[in-house]
Amino acid sequence: MPLRTLTDLALAGCRVLIRADLNVPFANGRISDDTRIRASLPTIHAALRAGAGVIVMSHLGRPVEGVCGPADSLEPVARRIGELLGRTVPVIADWQNHQVLPGELVMLENVRTLPGEAADSEALGRQYAALCDVFVNDAFGMVHRAEASTHAVARFAPQAVAGLLLSHELDALGRALLAPARPLVAIVGGAKVSTKLTMLESLADKVDRLIVGGGIANTFLLAAGLPVGRSLVETGLVDQARRVIDKCRARGGDVPLPTDVVVGRRFDPAEAAVIKPVAEVDENDMILDIGPESAARIAWLQASAGTIVWNGPVGVFEFDQFGGGTEAIARAIAASPAFSIAGGGDTLAAVARFGITDQVSYLSTGGGAFLAFLEGRPLPAVDMLAQRG
């Protein structure tokens, strides 16, 4: 949907409040991946360059509401932003009456520690709104949630617009799913059908080829009457898997299932990998990857695709011997002329591991929001921006 962005406004002298998604991972007390920080910088920089005073707010982790302990603080994030921009970025805990000045850049303390944030408190939304002349939502990863810092504030701010990252995410997803170049191929992996059933049913109405992998594929194999041994499988969702297959085929599409698989007897990084036709999987086998024949067929489908959407690895790619299928898919996406979009934490980890970051057309930064868009669920924070626009 068309939304106003901050570049549509004259921001000189304005107080701009940016909701970013700076929920970055930590290891040993240090930021281990600053991708989300870097993705948020263009919007921050654009507002500063336009002559605005800028306040950034974000959540971090899952703190107890009303408590902000040392591990909950955004101080390390502010330091990293400062390093990247070459300036000091103070974090303000007592911010209710703060008046940001043109050219100033500050950050509010972790919004998840504030009572009423998760409940989309109108009172808290009004407090945020009082800080600014323009509210900018640039937190794509949070648009599927109606919270005070994404939804209520947009309702009460004098003006509410989208940031550059949010706008780019919505444009890319719209290009992939709302007006795709055909054939549209979706690759959905992961452990359980139950976590992605709504998405699978939604995609079955849109795609030309729906490729399932990981534990999800095992349930589809069982639905097709094929043996899965001791593999991760959800027997209670076999009927739903059949429904997805039937829905896709009724539109002239297909759900091509693996014809060969890589199995082991234990879920172990030292377990030997054995390639078998699916029909020969025995009662002690665990399916841990798709086989080379299946991977080659998927690669062929990707080579002829107009659009590719990827969410989830097709095997236990963390173990080298069971990562061949996921690597083959990654390499095929990199080689394909199709417009490609990849999203989800495990998917982005696979993209990075196999070195194809620059060869995917768009990498989505939002996990839950990416899934919500694929499922066709409402995005309340986006809907509010549309209303204000």
Side-chain angles (χ1 to χ4, degrees):
M1 64 184 71
L3 297 174
R4 286 195 307 162
T5 70
L6 80 164
T7 55
D8 295 324
L9 304 179
L11 299 178
C14 289
R15 300 169 301 153
V16 173
L17 175 63
I18 299 173
R19 175 49 159 110
D21 181 3
L22 305 174
N23 187 28
V24 293
F26 282 75
N28 300 317
R30 299 176 63 86
I31 295 172
S32 56
D33 182 356
D34 66 357
T35 299
R36 285 180 171 169
I37 294 174
R38 291 177 179 275
S40 299
L41 291 183
T43 293
I44 296 171
H45 190 259
L48 289 170
R49 191 172 59 243
V54 178
I55 303 173
V56 178
M57 62 178 173
S58 177
H59 70 290
L60 181 65
R62 298 181 180 275
V64 176
E65 190 173 84
V67 178
C68 186
D72 306 318
S73 177
L74 280 165
E75 288 281 0
V77 175
R79 282 197 299 273
R80 183 60 183 144
I81 292 175
E83 291 169 359
L84 293 169
L85 294 181
R87 61 189 295 164
T88 300
V89 182
V91 177
I92 303 173
D94 185 14
W95 49 262
Q96 284 75 3
N97 297 310
H98 185 82
Q99 292 294 318
V100 68
L101 301 175
E104 185 181 10
L105 173 62
V106 301
M107 178 176 286
L108 305 188
E109 191 52 278
N110 191 343
V111 296
R112 280 270 175 87
T113 65
L114 300 175
E117 166 63 19
D120 196 25
S121 162
E122 177 178 322
L124 184 56
R126 287 183 182 276
Q127 284 186 305
Y128 291 142
L131 294 173
C132 67
D133 303 302
V134 178
F135 168 68
V136 179
N137 192 338
D138 208 33
F140 174 73
M142 296 301 296
V143 295
H144 61 306
R145 301 180 186 274
E147 298 187 346
S149 66
T150 61
H151 187 261
V153 59
R155 178 183 172 192
F156 298 113
Q159 296 195 74
V161 297
L164 301 178
L165 175 61
L166 175 56
S167 179
H168 292 160
E169 291 269 7
L170 295 174
D171 286 348
L173 284 164
R175 179 177 173 184
L177 290 175
L178 304 181
R182 300 281 179 175
L184 169 56
V185 175
I187 303 159
V188 180
K192 295 183 177 180
V193 172
S194 54
T195 61
K196 296 185 179 180
L197 179 61
T198 306
M199 183 213 301
L200 292 166
E201 291 181 334
S202 176
L203 289 174
D205 288 328
K206 301 180 177 73
V207 305
D208 301 297
R209 298 289 183 271
L210 177 58
I211 296 164
V212 291
I216 291 173
N218 299 336
T219 301
F220 278 75
L221 289 170
L222 191 63
L226 292 163
V228 295
R230 295 191 301 112
S231 307
L232 176 65
V233 67
E234 292 177 282
T235 56
L237 292 178
V238 165
D239 288 343
Q240 287 89 332
R242 290 196 187 104
R243 187 172 70 224
V244 169
I245 294 172
D246 292 344
K247 182 187 285 192
C248 196
R249 289 176 176 169
R251 294 179 44 259
D254 195 16
V255 183
L257 297 177
T259 54
D260 63 335
V261 291
V262 185
V263 303
R265 296 300 172 98
R266 299 175 302 153
F267 188 85
D268 189 293
E271 178 67 5
V274 178
I275 300 170
K276 287 187 174 184
V278 168
E280 295 180 12
V281 171
D282 69 39
E283 62 183 10
N284 294 312
D285 286 332
M286 299 174 67
I287 299 172
L288 299 174
D289 194 12
I290 61 172
E293 179 181 279
S294 300
R297 185 163 55 120
I298 294 172
W300 179 82
L301 291 173
Q302 291 169 280
S304 59
T307 306
I308 301 170
V309 178
W310 183 21
N311 175 252
V314 296
V316 186
F317 77 99
E318 300 90 338
F319 301 164
D320 289 345
Q321 69 274 35
F322 300 115
T326 300
E327 181 173 7
I329 283 175
R331 302 285 179 216
I333 288 176
S336 174
F339 175 78
S340 55
I341 182 167
D346 288 342
T347 313
L348 298 186
V351 166
R353 176 169 182 175
F354 299 122
I356 65 163
T357 299
D358 295 334
Q359 295 159 288
V360 179
S361 304
Y362 196 83
L363 297 175
S364 177
T365 61
F370 182 78
L371 296 182
F373 196 104
L374 296 186
E375 291 172 7
R377 285 194 278 131
L379 304 176
V382 174
D383 293 340
M384 179 56 71
L385 292 183
Q387 291 176 37
R388 293 301 313 276

